[in-house]
Amino acid sequence: MELKNVILEKEDNIAVVTINRPKALNALNSETLKELDLVFTTIENDDDVLAVVLTGAGEKAFVAGADISEMKDMTVLQGRNFGKLGNNVFRKIETLSKPVIAAVNGFALGGGCELSMACDIRIASNKAKFGQPEVGLGITPGFGGTQRLSRLVGMGMAKELVYTAKVIKADEALRIGLVNSIHEPEELLNNAKALAKTIASNAPIAVKLCKEAINRGMQVDIDTALAFESEAFGECFSTEDQTDAMTAFVEKRKLDRFKNK
Ligand code: CAA
């Protein structure tokens, strides 16, 4: 499949995914969602990639939402299928075995805000704007917005944002915990890559298990969650990375690199 709307690049052990429809402010149509699905399958299967940065092309937008022109005349069935398509791709990103950092360089509205929320970490340019404007268009959020926003910022704040359809600036997104940090626009991508490289310098299997434990633990009761953590912790002791890192520590030397084994 030829990629028209998504760019996949690799730098050392990180992948950089750019949504590339700047003329439509990177709006997500079906074609772009299918390309994103393919790109994230490729990344999942690439053992060299240890962390991912996801961003939008151009200076204005991360993603300005699902494509309104495509949705305008949808039937109930088409709407449901479009929602499922987006939800399945975003879930693939959320459950990817490697951390994904959203570098939010501009508008992150509707499906764009939802895409950022499917990522592990969000960092934003000081020009970024976030919101779930769907009710102003006669629809509900459809790519996870009614679920992930409340998990991230709490139910009260999520309901206010979703019911009012208001758009918030980066500093407000930081205040409510929707983003981790704010950056000058020209520094955002490099800072996201630096964060990805820091993550990629740690033991990949341990990082993967941490992602799984945090994600799964948030959805279940504390006893089930802690049982999963114990499993993950135990599994680490089957890895060469654990043996190598702890041996290096005890021998007071620096470990050159993790083997991802
Ligand atoms: N879908 C399709 N096209 C879009 C788009 C979208 N979500 N957002 C922007 N575009 C297009 C515009 O139609 C315009 O195209 P033309 O040049 O061909 O006219 C181009 O991108 C540039 O946009 P504007 O001229 O509107 O730029 P602006 O600077 O005046 O405004 C904006 C920027 C405030 C982001 C405005 O474009 C806007 O409000 N966009 C829609 C945002 C939105 O409502 N998103 C939610 C969509 S619903 C959703 O996402 C559902 C879901 O949960 C799955």
Side-chain angles (χ1 to χ4, degrees):
M1 180 178 172
E2 190 199 342
L3 295 180
K4 278 163 51 186
N5 304 323
V6 180
I7 302 168
L8 170 60
E9 295 162 302
K10 272 169 67 176
E11 262 179 49
D12 303 323
N13 284 119
I14 67 165
V16 179
V17 178
T18 307
I19 300 178
N20 187 32
R21 281 188 86 204
K23 281 191 184 142
L25 302 187
N26 303 322
L28 299 171
N29 56 7
S30 302
E31 188 180 49
T32 307
L33 289 168
K34 285 175 190 159
E35 291 186 19
L36 264 181
D37 187 66
L38 181 74
V39 160
F40 275 93
T41 301
T42 305
I43 291 171
E44 182 64 70
N45 295 329
D46 186 340
D47 289 342
D48 289 339
V49 175
L50 301 179
V52 185
V53 172
L54 174 62
T55 194
E59 285 168 11
K60 253 177 103 171
F62 173 69
V63 165
D67 193 306
I68 299 169
S69 318
E70 186 179 341
M71 287 186 292
K72 182 176 146 301
D73 295 320
M74 279 183 183
T75 62
V76 171
L77 186 61
Q78 287 168 331
R80 197 176 287 146
N81 287 340
F82 187 59
K84 273 190 200 156
L85 173 65
N87 267 331
N88 289 344
V89 180
F90 289 14
R91 187 75 179 133
K92 179 174 281 188
I93 294 171
E94 188 170 48
T95 56
L96 196 83
S97 66
K98 326 163 186 220
V100 184
I101 298 159
V104 181
N105 51 310
F107 288 110
L109 302 178
C113 186
E114 292 168 312
L115 177 59
S116 79
M117 292 192 291
C119 298
D120 295 273
I121 294 169
R122 285 147 298 286
I123 68 171
S125 127
N126 55 23
K127 297 227 170 82
K129 289 189 176 152
F130 294 81
Q132 297 290 157
E134 286 88 347
V135 293
L137 291 162
I139 55 173
T140 65
F143 297 165
T146 62
Q147 302 308 313
R148 293 195 182 93
L149 189 58
S150 46
R151 284 165 168 80
L152 270 170
V153 304
M155 200 192 282
M157 192 58 78
K159 284 181 171 172
E160 184 175 330
L161 285 168
V162 170
Y163 298 170
T164 61
K166 73 179 171 186
V167 173
I168 58 169
K169 293 185 177 162
D171 55 354
E172 176 69 352
L174 179 68
R175 192 185 70 77
I176 65 174
L178 185 54
V179 301
N180 287 17
S181 54
I182 298 179
H183 305 257
E184 292 297 328
E186 58 280 5
E187 290 169 4
L188 176 70
L189 191 57
N190 276 342
N191 289 347
K193 288 179 187 172
L195 183 56
K197 283 177 187 164
T198 301
I199 293 170
S201 71
N202 288 315
I205 297 168
V207 171
K208 174 187 128 186
L209 288 168
C210 288
K211 173 166 177 170
E212 240 178 284
I214 294 171
N215 279 357
R216 287 175 62 171
M218 287 299 288
Q219 314 305 333
V220 296
D221 67 277
I222 185 75
D223 293 316
T224 309
L226 289 174
F228 184 76
E229 187 190 75
S230 299
E231 279 301 310
F233 183 69
E235 199 174 321
C236 294
F237 291 86
S238 70
T239 66
E240 290 182 35
D241 286 344
Q242 174 271 330
T243 310
D244 292 351
M246 290 197 180
T247 304
F249 177 84
V250 169
E251 292 175 359
K252 299 196 186 302
R253 58 180 170 78
K254 202 173 174 315
L255 183 68
D256 283 345
R257 60 172 198 93
F258 287 103
K259 294 179 191 148
N260 195 7
K261 283 184 185 160

